[in-house]
Amino acid sequence: MNDTVDKLVIFLATRDGIDKLVKTFQYVSKLVHWHVESTQPGIADRFKHWEVASGLSRKAFRTGRFLTGFNLLRRSPGSTPTLRILAVLANSGEMVYWFFDHFLWLSRIGTLEPKFARRMSFISAFGEAFGYIFFIMSDFIQMKEGLDKERKLVIGSELEDNTNSDVKERTLREIKAERVMRLMGVAANLADFVIAVADIEPNPFCNHAVVLGISGLVSAWSGWYRNWPS
């Protein structure tokens, strides 16, 4: 099972996979709504409905997602004390985000009082932004460690014979592949940070439809790349 259709089926069978697809719908529709709002208001309204429906759908099937961070802290908190501290801070922020996002969803669909939506949105976005800061720090630290390891392997290859060249080449490829994945993670986290700031402290830049739309697509497509089956 190596062709594109097989991989797409596997990808969309996961919660992350379907989330990235619906997130793409959400932010493409936001950009289209912005683009046609002044010239074709009827079409703009349709795309606005698609954007809102996509956002609410994503919140629905993320139910219980806060347990993911808790489980990561239980199973693999990090290889060094620094990474363990960053993992605790990052996942704690993300758990707050996922947990209060449930109440935001219930407020938006009318199960809870709509007046709670703004408060839940602020708490959720604050936890999200807080967590992403430490996820980004952790990724940069681990990329630096990978670069140091790669440099040592390259220098060692120049000084030694070629008896283990295949093993070293495979290790170098793995380090480079991991670095690409971490760069995708940084891109996604930075984009989601911008979206979170738009909720925490609304401002003309972060809340502009184009900035939000592009940030959402960067996050979605970076996540798509990271979660695509190998």
Side-chain angles (χ1 to χ4, degrees), residues 52-73:
V52 172
S54 297
L56 290 175
S57 298
R58 291 181 61 223
K59 292 182 186 302
F61 55 67
R62 289 193 309 224
T63 303
R65 185 69 180 269
F66 67 93
L67 293 173
T68 302
F70 175 71
N71 204 44
L72 282 171
L73 291 177

Side-chain angles (χ1 to χ4, degrees), residues 141-159 167-180 183:
I141 289 172
Q142 291 180 81
M143 281 192 287
K144 182 180 181 301
E145 290 176 352
L147 285 169
D148 291 341
K149 185 177 179 181
E150 181 181 2
R151 193 176 299 112
K152 289 177 182 178
L153 282 171
V154 170
I155 293 172
S157 298
E158 293 173 352
L159 297 177
V167 175
K168 290 178 180 178
E169 285 295 326
R170 186 168 62 251
T171 303
L172 287 171
R173 284 197 300 271
E174 290 172 355
I175 292 171
K176 291 175 181 177
E178 182 183 357
R179 183 159 62 244
V180 170
L183 284 170

